[in-house]
Amino acid sequence: VFSTKIQGIFNKLRKKGLLSKDDVTATMRELRVALLEADVNFKVAKEFIGKISEKAVGVEILKSLNPAQHVIKIVKDELVEVLGGDIPQVRIESVKSILMLGLQGCGKTTTSAKLAYKMIQRKRHPLLVGADPYRPAAKEQLQILGKKISVPVFIDGKTAIETLNGSLEYAKEHKCDCIIVDSAGRLHVDNELMDELKVLKQRLNPEECLLIVDGMTGQEAVNIASTFEKEIGISGVILTKLDGDARGGAALSIKMVTGKPIKFMGVGENIEQLEPFYPDRMAQRILG
Amino acid sequence: FFKFFAKDESVWDEVEEAFINTDVGIETALRIIDELRNSSIKPEGLRIALKEKISSILGTQGFCLNFPSNMPAIFLFIGVNGSGKTTTIGKLAFKLKNEGKSVLIAAADTYRAAAIPQLEEWARRCGVEILKQQEGADPGAVAYDALDAAIARNIDVVLIDTAGRLHTKHHLVREMKKIREICEKKIPGAPHEILLVLDAVSGQNGLIQAQNFLESVGISGIVLTKLDGTAKGGIIISIADKLKLPVKLIGVGEGLEDIGEFNPVEFVEALFE
Ligand SMILES: Nc1nc2c(ncn2[C@@H]2O[C@H](COP(=O)(O)OP(=O)(O)OP(=O)(O)O)[C@@H](O)[C@H]2O)c(=O)[nH]1
Ligand SMILES: Nc1nc2c(ncn2[C@@H]2O[C@H](COP(=O)(O)OP(=O)(O)OP(=O)(O)O)[C@@H](O)[C@H]2O)c(=O)[nH]1
Ligand SMILES: [Mg+2]
Ligand SMILES: [Mg+2]
């Protein structure tokens, strides 16, 4: 565990007034291992450590802390700052359109229903749209989830764009106040499906374009997120399956490289298991 | 990837970065680098040495599926949510059928929304029979029925689909143990394969999943899916290194034919592309 290792390093050094360059270098080596084990991207870890090293050398150790505690505090504070800052939340009470996108199996369909559930709790009238025409029983899956929470699910149409067009009509007729579009899982390098996504986004012009990412994603998180951001444009990220023990370093990688905020965390298979993203909790988790 | 420019000490930094980029993980990467540094490798021979090192970790055997003689082969598929279990079963059923085997698919994911219809569609696509019960049924009961039917009808292979589960959920791990025990009692030696289905995009948690499931349920091999993406799946090198678990199948797409046997030589070559 990072904090135990850092404590170990500083136990060898006695009381010091300022953090020396050597203190910091030793600590940064441990930090790098912790970040890489947590799936933070190699280049992102390097950049993050560069930032910390600059901030840490010469720092006056707070009277209330020992050197190790102070370094840990600097690291944690910086992590929280990078991960969070001022996070623009998804305005559940007022958002009118959401497009869900991401790789295969990351949790788009389940998370679409979770978002609809949050709206139902605020007495809104969302419409779930099953715009995945490829995956066997994808539409049925969304229908079952929608039925559980009494949210209408629109699935007519042979292609994704047909379904989207039909759903816009339906939403108007039935006075739905938010349309949540579930899309098919796709590789960021599948040109045809990326083009489909561009068409969907253009037609819907969503207020929120959310990239759904599996919490255990490794080094490729950077490539995946930056490709979706560059090709499609996203407003935020939802990290899923964080009820497991994946450290979630992908969060830091994605935030640092795209600058896009992580807005929610999926913490289970049940419909109410979607939590707001807490930077300090994530920072603690990444450090291990 | 792995393009060495440095002819000095800094080449090792390049190697480390290349390893980490594939999700091999820092511990295994540093260990491999240490061993190579201590052998007197010249920079020109480094690429070959790395390939040989990784190949020796992956091993030369255990990549084939284990088919027992004189009884139905029982293959149990496990893995975390969304890794590709259901789709892999569809593809494998098709492959085995084309190889002349009779196949029965068991729909033992009785939990997730539309899990059974999803598997039913795959069974329909490959013309293979599926055994299912109602949603919410006991997965162990489905497995039992499937083994029963396989014995009665002299079926060659049973592929058991299960619900996605995180290794941290104890009640779900217990459920999997129970499914395994039911198979063992019904057919001695079953399941002949317990395959951990792992997404190639997984980071270090893939190793933790493998360690956990190996310990709690037993794993005989790995299915590495979504290799058609940009992730290299290097985590299986750490898994081979630490747990000696072989990869038996790879998934390379969402179509019925997008499955292949694991070829360690091709895998190592792909790492270096
Ligand atoms: N434990 C856990 N499981 C989750 C979470 N979110 C989704 N899942 C599960 O992950 C699996 C995949 O979820 P889906 O919603 O089907 O994923 P998807 O992105 O729509 O998949 P495709 O449409 O095939 O790309 C299912 O078994 C879900 O129940 C989560 O936060 N925690
Ligand atoms: N590109 C690609 N997609 C794949 C591959 N294998 C599976 N998928 C996709 O990944 C998604 C999830 O696949 P499933 O078979 O539902 O995964 P699962 O493990 O059964 O999921 P749960 O039962 O919910 O835990 C689907 O969209 C599949 O089409 C593969 O090799 N390549
Ligand atoms: Mg889906
Ligand atoms: Mg499944």
Side-chain angles (χ1 to χ4, degrees), chain B residues 247-266:
Chain B
V247 177
K248 304 220 174 188
L249 296 168
I250 60 173
V252 291
E254 301 189 75
L256 206 48
E257 318 217 4
D258 294 329
I259 189 171
E261 291 172 352
F262 180 66
N263 181 328
V265 173
E266 286 179 8

Side-chain angles (χ1 to χ4, degrees), chain A:
Chain A
V1 166
F2 175 62
S3 47
T4 330
K5 286 198 190 144
I6 301 307
Q7 200 70 51
I9 290 175
F10 283 95
N11 280 343
K12 302 205 180 73
L13 317 161
R14 289 293 100 195
K15 288 255 167 291
K16 290 201 169 175
L18 302 175
L19 288 171
S20 75
K21 195 159 187 305
D22 287 346
D23 299 338
V24 174
T25 307
T27 317
M28 292 305 107
R29 248 183 271 131
E30 286 305 329
L31 177 59
R32 197 173 87 99
V33 171
L35 293 179
L36 292 178
E37 281 179 345
D39 291 323
V40 175
N41 179 271
F42 189 91
K43 286 201 167 68
V44 169
K46 208 171 185 177
E47 189 181 336
F48 182 78
I49 286 173
K51 270 195 198 180
I52 297 272
S53 306
E54 277 185 37
K55 288 197 172 182
V57 176
V59 162
E60 172 97 43
I61 296 159
L62 294 180
K63 293 252 180 326
S64 55
L65 304 172
N66 65 37
Q69 289 171 331
H70 198 122
V71 172
I72 293 166
K73 173 166 162 43
I74 292 173
V75 171
K76 191 140 182 284
D77 288 351
E78 182 68 18
L79 257 181
V80 171
E81 164 117 6
V82 173
L83 287 172
D86 171 34
I87 300 185
Q89 292 296 335
V90 173
R91 284 177 248 105
I92 295 286
E93 318 73 27
S94 61
V95 64
K96 293 199 181 55
S97 51
I98 302 177
L99 179 58
M100 307 286 280
L101 50 119
L103 258 48
Q104 290 87 346
C106 60
K108 298 173 293 301
T109 303
T110 308
T111 309
S112 301
K114 288 177 178 180
L115 287 169
Y117 181 63
K118 287 205 183 292
M119 292 178 192
I120 285 289
Q121 288 179 309
R122 307 272 173 79
K123 307 270 188 285
R124 295 192 65 194
H125 303 98
L127 173 68
L128 282 166
V129 181
D132 176 358
Y134 312 111
R135 170 173 156 152
K139 293 187 175 188
E140 192 166 343
Q141 182 186 6
L142 194 60
Q143 280 183 312
I144 292 172
L145 295 174
K147 191 147 180 279
K148 270 201 193 142
I149 53 174
S150 307
V151 167
V153 179
F154 186 87
I155 60 165
D156 297 350
K158 286 211 211 67
T159 67
I161 190 66
E162 260 182 56
T163 305
L164 176 59
N165 285 330
S167 73
L168 294 171
E169 276 307 311
Y170 183 97
K172 254 209 220 100
E173 285 167 23
H174 293 82
K175 307 228 178 351
C176 301
D177 57 12
C178 181
I179 173 164
I180 302 171
V181 181
D182 181 22
S183 70
R186 72 203 63 223
L187 296 176
H188 50 299
V189 291
D190 183 327
N191 293 325
E192 218 180 290
L193 283 182
M194 289 301 271
D195 285 344
E196 174 193 271
L197 195 53
K198 285 177 190 150
V199 171
L200 289 177
K201 185 178 183 210
Q202 198 176 37
R203 182 74 181 87
L204 178 65
N205 193 18
E207 250 177 84
E208 288 281 1
C209 200
L210 300 174
L211 176 65
I212 314 303
V213 178
D214 194 317
M216 58 146 198
T217 303
Q219 296 290 308
E220 277 303 294
V222 163
N223 188 6
I224 295 163
S226 51
T227 305
F228 274 106
E229 160 56 5
K230 178 158 158 280
E231 294 294 313
I232 310 291
I234 61 179
S235 62
V237 173
I238 298 183
L239 216 52
T240 61
K241 307 179 201 170
L242 288 178
D243 43 316
D245 55 4
R247 298 263 291 273
L252 180 63
S253 304
I254 291 173
K255 184 78 202 310
M256 273 192 80
V257 166
T258 66
K260 298 299 175 175
I262 298 163
K263 303 203 172 191
F264 282 109
M265 320 190 327
V267 291
E269 293 193 77
N270 297 329
I271 206 114
E272 73 282 354
Q273 288 173 320
L274 186 68
E275 290 178 359
F277 177 70
Y278 297 113
D280 54 342
R281 283 193 213 167
M282 195 76 221
Q284 189 56 53
R285 181 182 185 123
I286 288 176
L287 289 180

Side-chain angles (χ1 to χ4, degrees), chain B residues 75-92:
Chain B
F75 297 164
L76 179 61
F77 289 79
I78 80 178
V80 302
N81 308 72
S83 59
K85 300 175 289 299
T86 304
T87 306
T88 299
I89 286 174
K91 297 172 189 174
L92 184 59

